[in-house]
């Protein structure tokens, strides 16, 4: 924490102590979600280009049917980015924390 002009500023947000803690937890969870999603994308691309694999998600299967890694990367980044943006915007609410978990 830093003190500026007599007020305390928190890196994770403003409000009550509970909201600040929740905000920090949601941000940490979103970082974990992004890292795991990037790992999943890497593994998916590795298996698709080497041994092959079947996809259980019908939307992902539809994107993979185009046989274009760039399209798959864009789709994955867009969906994860949209979810993270929504949860980040709502990071002070209990619902966002549950959603991030």
């Amino acid at each position: 924490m830093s003190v500026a002009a007599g007020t305390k500023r928190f890196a994770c947000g403003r409000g009550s102590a509970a909201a600040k803690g929740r905000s920090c937890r949601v941000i940490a969870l979103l970082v974990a979600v992004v890292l795991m999603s990037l790992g999943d994308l890497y593994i998916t691309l590795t298996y698709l280009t080497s041994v092959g694999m079947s996809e259980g998600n019908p939307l992902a299967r539809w994107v993979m049917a185009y046989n274009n890694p760039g399209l798959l990367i864009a789709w994955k980044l867009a969906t994860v980015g949209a979810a993270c943006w929504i949860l980040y915007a709502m990071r002070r609410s209990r619902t966002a924390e549950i959603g991030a978990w």
Side-chain angles (χ1 to χ4, degrees):
M1 284 187 278
S2 66
V3 177
T7 62
K8 292 183 180 180
R9 296 177 62 200
F10 295 89
C12 294
R14 298 179 183 159
S16 68
K20 288 176 200 154
R22 180 173 295 118
S23 180
C24 288
R25 286 189 303 272
V26 170
I27 290 170
L29 288 167
L30 292 179
V31 168
V33 165
V34 168
L35 292 175
M36 287 186 284
S37 295
L38 290 173
D40 175 62
L41 178 61
Y42 173 75
I43 291 169
T44 300
L45 288 171
T46 300
Y47 273 89
L48 283 175
T49 57
S50 59
V51 296
M53 64 177 269
S54 62
E55 177 62 51
N57 180 344
L59 291 175
R61 194 176 328 126
W62 177 71
V63 171
M64 289 177 185
Y66 286 97
N67 209 14
N68 183 347
L71 181 62
L72 178 63
I73 292 168
W75 179 78
K76 179 75 168 186
L77 294 178
T79 56
V80 171
C84 287
W85 179 78
I86 291 167
L87 291 171
Y88 180 78
M90 298 179 60
R91 68 188 174 277
R92 292 176 190 88
S93 72
R94 188 173 297 155
T95 306
E97 185 174 7
I98 293 168
W101 275 109

